Amino acid sequence: MTSPLLGRDAELAALGRLLDDAVAGTGSCVVVTGGFGIGKTAVLDALAAEARDRGFTVRLAKSARLESHLPGAVVRQLAPCLANEHDLEELYARAANSAGKAPILMVVDDVHVADTFSKRAIAYLRPRLRHMPVVIALGASQGYLATDEVTLPEIAGSHPNRLDLDGLDVAAVGVLTEHLPGRDPKRCHELTGGNPYLLQALLREEGEGSASVGELIGMRLREYAGAAEVARSAAVLDSDAGIELLSALTGFDALPAVDMLVRLGVLADTDPLTFRYPFVRNSILADMPIAVRSAAHARAAWLLFESDAPHERVAEHVLKARSVRLPWAVGLLREGGGVEHLERALEEHLSEQDRLAIEVQLGHTEHLQDNASGRDRVRDALMRCEDPHLSADVALALIRRMCTGTDAHFAVSLAIMVVARLLPEDRDMVWNLVCTTYLLAANRDARMANCAGKYFDDLVGETPQAPDLQRARSALLAIGNARSGDSYAEAVGHALDALEGDWVDVFGEPYVFTFLLPVLVDNPEHSTKFWLSHSTAPVSHDPHLRRGTLSMIARASAFHNSGDLARAYTFLTPPVSTGDPDCPAVVLATAKLAEVCIEMGQFDEAAPLVAEDGNLLQHINVVYARGRLKLASCHAEGGLEDLLDAGRRLAAREMPNPALMPWRHHAVRAYLALGNRDDAARLAHEELDLAKRWGSPRVVGTALMSVGISTDDVDVLAEAEHLLAATPHRLLHAQSSYWLGHHLRRKGRADATEHLQRSFDLARHLSAHPLAKLAGDEVRDGDDQVQGLTKQENRVARMAVQGLTNRQIAEALHLTRRTVELHLSSAYRKLGIAGRAELVAALWS
């Protein structure tokens, strides 16, 4: 059967086979089903046309909801000349007589809304005509639920032929859109599912919804209690359309209506609920008056807010509630931070301070999009403000939120402009502004960091009056010590003074955070105090970080320093996976996660973490981690290049302290791997001099390791192990034990195994798999070398003890028989025995 309908070849071919069966004398009943607009009527009309062409007597009937109360309305369409349409016997006799003359096709479209008597009549005729050339074709909508005592299975039989119509495929949609510029077939199919009615409506519209279609759908749904209201609420809620929210938004139990809408194919059978076709949702929304839609979105926003939904979901509804005032949503819109969010916030009734803060935030957001007008907006708003203190407070809050490279220059210009309006008695406010701007600028590239450094002496030389600013000054003093590497004890003292009390805003600055980590993590009590202070921070000034993220990074660093790699990995993964990759704190977390992965042997996972570079202070950590990865991957030359680059970048910022980053220690190993012992020893002694100046046991112990492995001095390595064993840095202790055991073994010392075994046990416990493998291999090699036998001699001798012949040993070890004989002869000589007979006693004595 050739299809006159686009994309319906298979369906009409199946119906054509039923016509063939009828011609052969076998009757049948077929039910054509599908959702609204899927094309049931078109398929039935095409079937009727084909039947007429083939000589069938065709009887057509169309059920109508408004006629469902008229008994016999459909029967009269099928047999208009009946003397009495209620006489079923006469109806059967007329049908049988007609079938004797020519095959019959009886079509009843929309049978689900037919009158009860007509349904009974079809149910009466169907089994009596099944052995006659009669095809009964019934069209029924998807999801039909019986509203009277006659059901569709009773009409069509328990096992009727069933044809479920789906939407047209993308290829068929492409045929319809090929002459319509700007219409993408895939997008059209995505919106309509290929539903022919919806597709034609879409092609008539300029947008992706149709108010007329929405109106028609609403009219059809009104016969089902609450379905239209639930459909409108679901369209408003979109992906938030759960049963509870739908019920709250409509004001009644939405579950029965949801069940009906899913059965009708309006909603998809998913959790959470979604519309089966996005075009239907768009059309329902298009049919809603703007004020009604805004009010619904406002109500949805509040319901979501009360249910603790993610703020970005709440904000989406707030943005769509333009004509409704929502003062409670201002903070939420500011948190969203987008231009559209902030413009919406400015539409609310705001205080002078809030309006200024939002205008400044909006200007900064535009500035981040390389919009020069954004910078002008910020300056104009600050200058228009009549209160210089308010202007300074808002500018300070903005500078704390700045992260990007261009922000630093902008922040400096703002600080200069705002400070110029302050009076001499505003010294603390000036100090705070200059301090915050300094910390932002110092975190940028080396040139800007060095320019900002000129303000450092002025900042620490003046003691502010406010206690919180005095503690901020203590943090700066700790940073000064850490940068220069002058005194670990003084740096810790200043850092603890800063932490003594409530939260101070400078703790959230990436520059401060990055320096205080290596100062405080050497002592578990100090590191705990540090991450607890961040966990109780009232707010995250960094717009890219969730509250508590810095606390997670600080805690992960403490675990990393103690050697607890699994926990460090767990705490570092969320900030890296969810944070903005351009944020300094996220860059730092990424570098530290890469280090953890390297130490755990997860090189493939570490590689993408160290792929990016930049000019932030924290990018030096990334370069350092990349050098470590290359070194661990046996690419010593590339590793040395990155490690030396990290050292050069630190030197450009005048940061020689090895506590900040032990790049020299790993560069020493890279030099040794390349056979350059002189440069390795030079760098190791440089590291030791700086480490002793700083005074931290961790740093001194690491430097002693460098000196020991570069000079093959086991006494220095023993000193390093002894020093690190007394610290909480278990992974460093394991490394020092390995290097000591390794060099002792090279010298043939019997006590090497003790240190190698300790390193192996510690490394395995800490999940440091590469180190555990190194130490474990050396332990096993030591065990295998019984009485001077090489590893291969020992293996061959033990296989000989098991009774294997020389040929069997050669085959098992992929050696020649001559090689096996040579190994055995050497073993006999070293063991002082004559042959195999004495081998067992010699090996196990």
Side-chain angles (χ1 to χ4, degrees), residues 58-93:
V58 178
R59 296 287 182 260
L60 299 176
K62 176 76 172 177
S63 306
R65 185 176 61 85
L66 295 178
E67 297 179 0
S68 61
H69 67 291
L70 301 176
V74 170
V75 171
R76 278 193 291 271
Q77 296 179 61
L78 292 174
C81 298
L82 286 173
N84 180 1
E85 67 269 18
H86 297 296
D87 187 342
L88 296 179
E89 284 300 326
E90 181 188 355
L91 180 63
Y92 167 67

Side-chain angles (χ1 to χ4, degrees), residues 32-171:
V32 179
T33 67
F36 163 74
I38 203 67
K40 300 182 295 296
T41 299
V43 168
L44 292 173
D45 288 345
L47 172 63
E50 177 66 16
R52 288 192 189 94
D53 291 343
R54 295 172 63 167
F56 277 66
T57 299
V58 178
R59 296 287 182 260
L60 299 176
K62 176 76 172 177
S63 306
R65 185 176 61 85
L66 295 178
E67 297 179 0
S68 61
H69 67 291
L70 301 176
V74 170
V75 171
R76 278 193 291 271
Q77 296 179 61
L78 292 174
C81 298
L82 286 173
N84 180 1
E85 67 269 18
H86 297 296
D87 187 342
L88 296 179
E89 284 300 326
E90 181 188 355
L91 180 63
Y92 167 67
R94 294 282 295 274
N97 181 55
S98 181
K101 299 175 182 177
I104 298 176
L105 170 66
M106 284 192 282
V107 177
V108 181
D109 199 2
D110 290 334
V111 68
H112 55 286
V113 294
D115 62 278
T116 301
F117 178 79
S118 294
K119 292 178 184 177
R120 287 183 178 278
I122 299 169
Y124 178 82
L125 289 177
R126 177 189 49 76
R128 290 167 173 78
L129 298 175
R130 63 183 176 182
H131 297 302
M132 300 182 188
V134 178
V135 176
I136 299 175
L138 308 174
S141 286
Q142 172 186 336
Y144 160 70
L145 295 177
T147 56
D148 56 30
E149 66 271 23
V150 185
T151 64
L152 186 60
E154 289 173 324
I155 301 171
S158 301
H159 303 288
N161 294 296
R162 187 181 179 97
L163 195 63
D164 295 313
L165 298 181
D166 291 322
L168 304 179
D169 59 22
V170 176

Side-chain angles (χ1 to χ4, degrees), residues 9 39 239 265 285 306 382 407 623 731 767 801:
D9 293 345
S239 59
L285 289 174
E306 282 192 316
L382 291 174
D407 269 344
V623 175
L731 183 55
S767 300
V801 168

